[in-house]
Amino acid sequence: MKKLQATEYMYASARIRAMEHRLVGRERVDVLADAKTAEDVLAKLVEYGLSSGDNEVGNTDEEILLSLLQNTCREIFATVPEPSFFDWFRYPYDCNNLKTIIKCRIRGIEPKDILFDFGTVSAEETQRLMTEGKYDAFPPAMAAAIPEAMEAYAKTSDPQLIDAILDKACYVDMLTSVEASGSQTMISWITSKIDLVNSMMCLRILRMKRGEAGKVFMDTALLEGGSLSHAFFDKAYDGGEEMLWSELARGKYAKFVKAVEGTDASLAAIEKCVDDHWMNLVREGAKVPFGPEIAGGYLIGCEVSVKNIRIILAAKNAGLTSDVLRERIRESYV
């Protein structure tokens, strides 16, 4: 498949820029955060024109949010000249469905109502193919990882291995997909995401104090394709959490480390810093006149908007104050 020139995205870029006002950005997030109830939040979404025409009375908050994301994906993929160059955005949803189906089989429950329906393979088709043991329709690395994950669980009864094996394969497929686009900017987004995910993995295992067993698991689960090597994380693990932050601060993640230093250093706070750092990278990378980066940035921006709405709804249902809620909200795309 030939790589497209940035100029071939001129129409799509102009159309997507015009769509950016639909996103729940900083100003709208502030308004939603001050809403009194979850019902008021949903009413505001209707006012913003973000309630899908497919949403029916009785649908859950989550169904409404997933419908918004699904409709956005459908519109963007119909706009860009080569939709397959953006399959990387959809692969995590394929991966989630595969992991969910495997785990539900183990537990003997039906996964139908907890699958995402905007991966590259539909939820219904994913269930059918998994039942028939036919994996060729899935992204290549994930297809190869399905029997590996099931075999690993059969040997160990450890569900973490299902996640580790399929997540690792998912990022291989994501990197392969984004490389096909020829966009060095979007490639840098995925490699940075891999670095950040691996950093959080190392940190979590360090805080679990699993010793040498934790290091062995980390080496098995670390994602491939990032700019930080396995040796980097082995050194950080051996030196402890202080070493991890020290090593990250030496390179391009210095701003990320500085942001973490301004928090209570809880895992939740650090995860927010990860999300915010990546969003800043995406937002800066999408500041081009035209090109695939505009479509990729919009897709990520919509996903973060949905995540923020989900956080707000959960906080309202839990009776949290607006101040506490704002501490959890992620950096917006617009």
Side-chain angles (χ1 to χ4, degrees):
M1 185 182 300
K2 81 178 187 72
K3 296 175 182 177
L4 302 180
Q5 299 298 313
T7 52
E8 296 180 75
Y9 288 89
M10 290 182 69
Y11 166 75
S13 297
R15 182 173 177 183
I16 294 167
R17 286 293 190 215
M19 292 164 54
E20 288 181 355
H21 73 280
R22 302 181 189 176
L23 294 176
V24 176
R26 300 176 192 86
E27 292 183 5
R28 288 180 170 180
V29 162
D30 279 340
V31 172
L32 295 178
D34 287 331
K36 292 183 178 180
T37 65
E39 289 73 21
D40 291 337
V41 172
L42 294 173
K44 273 293 179 184
L45 294 180
V46 173
E47 183 181 318
Y48 294 151
L50 296 177
S51 180
S52 167
D54 295 333
N55 294 340
E56 299 177 355
V57 175
N59 278 7
T60 65
D61 295 351
E62 188 62 22
E63 287 171 337
I64 292 171
L65 294 179
L66 292 178
S67 178
L68 290 174
L69 187 54
Q70 186 176 34
N71 290 342
T72 295
C73 290
R74 188 181 298 118
E75 188 168 9
I76 295 299
F77 297 143
T79 301
V80 295
E82 184 46 72
S84 66
F85 287 162
F86 301 91
D87 280 348
W88 55 267
F89 178 80
R90 305 169 74 183
Y91 285 162
Y93 298 101
D94 287 316
C95 185
N96 177 83
N97 287 347
L98 293 172
K99 291 188 294 185
T100 299
I101 289 172
I102 293 172
K103 291 178 183 178
C104 284
R105 280 184 179 178
I106 291 168
R107 297 172 61 189
I109 61 177
E110 173 60 48
K112 181 179 180 180
D113 295 330
I114 51 177
L115 300 178
F116 293 104
D117 206 22
F118 41 93
T120 59
V121 182
S122 71
E124 182 178 356
E125 184 72 355
T126 298
Q127 288 191 86
R128 184 184 70 78
L129 292 172
M130 288 293 287
T131 299
E132 296 175 0
K134 297 177 180 178
Y135 310 138
D136 289 348
F138 300 113
M142 280 186 274
I146 293 168
E148 180 185 352
M150 292 191 292
E151 183 179 355
Y153 178 80
K155 290 179 177 178
T156 65
S157 297
D158 184 356
Q160 283 187 311
L161 291 177
I162 297 171
D163 290 338
I165 292 169
L166 282 166
D167 284 343
K168 195 169 185 175
C170 178
Y171 276 91
V172 170
D173 285 322
M174 288 174 70
L175 197 53
T176 300
S177 172
V178 79
E179 284 172 346
S181 74
S183 169
Q184 292 302 312
T185 297
M186 292 202 302
I187 292 170
S188 73
W189 293 348
I190 303 304
T191 56
S192 293
K193 183 75 167 180
I194 290 169
D195 287 339
L196 292 167
V197 170
N198 282 342
S199 296
M200 284 302 300
M201 185 189 307
C202 181
L203 177 63
R204 287 192 187 95
I205 297 173
L206 279 170
R207 291 194 177 183
M208 291 170 68
K209 301 185 184 302
R210 293 181 59 184
E212 192 61 28
K215 185 177 181 181
V216 171
F217 176 79
M218 181 187 74
D219 284 338
T220 300
L222 283 172
L223 307 177
E224 304 289 347
S227 65
L228 303 177
S229 67
H230 279 230
F232 173 95
F233 289 106
D234 282 342
K235 178 181 179 181
Y237 190 90
D238 290 339
E241 186 172 335
E242 185 176 346
M243 176 67 78
L244 173 63
W245 295 123
S246 174
E247 291 299 307
L248 285 171
R250 292 175 182 271
K252 64 180 181 179
Y253 296 106
K255 286 185 178 180
F256 164 63
V257 174
K258 188 172 183 179
V260 171
E261 290 172 350
T263 72
D264 62 6
S266 65
L267 286 177
I270 297 171
E271 286 173 354
K272 181 182 182 303
C273 289
V274 165
D275 290 345
D276 290 350
H277 184 81
W278 196 55
M279 174 50 68
N280 287 329
L281 292 177
V282 170
R283 190 169 52 228
E284 287 301 309
K287 289 180 178 179
V288 294
F290 41 79
E293 298 83 5
I294 294 175
Y298 188 90
L299 286 167
I300 294 168
C302 181
E303 190 172 51
V304 172
S305 291
V306 167
K307 184 172 188 174
N308 277 336
I309 296 169
R310 187 180 289 118
I311 290 170
I312 292 169
L313 288 170
K316 296 302 176 184
N317 287 326
L320 300 181
T321 65
S322 296
D323 288 340
V324 172
L325 166 56
R326 282 188 169 86
E327 294 175 359
R328 303 183 180 185
I329 291 173
R330 271 45 177 175
E331 185 71 24
S332 298
Y333 183 64
V334 295

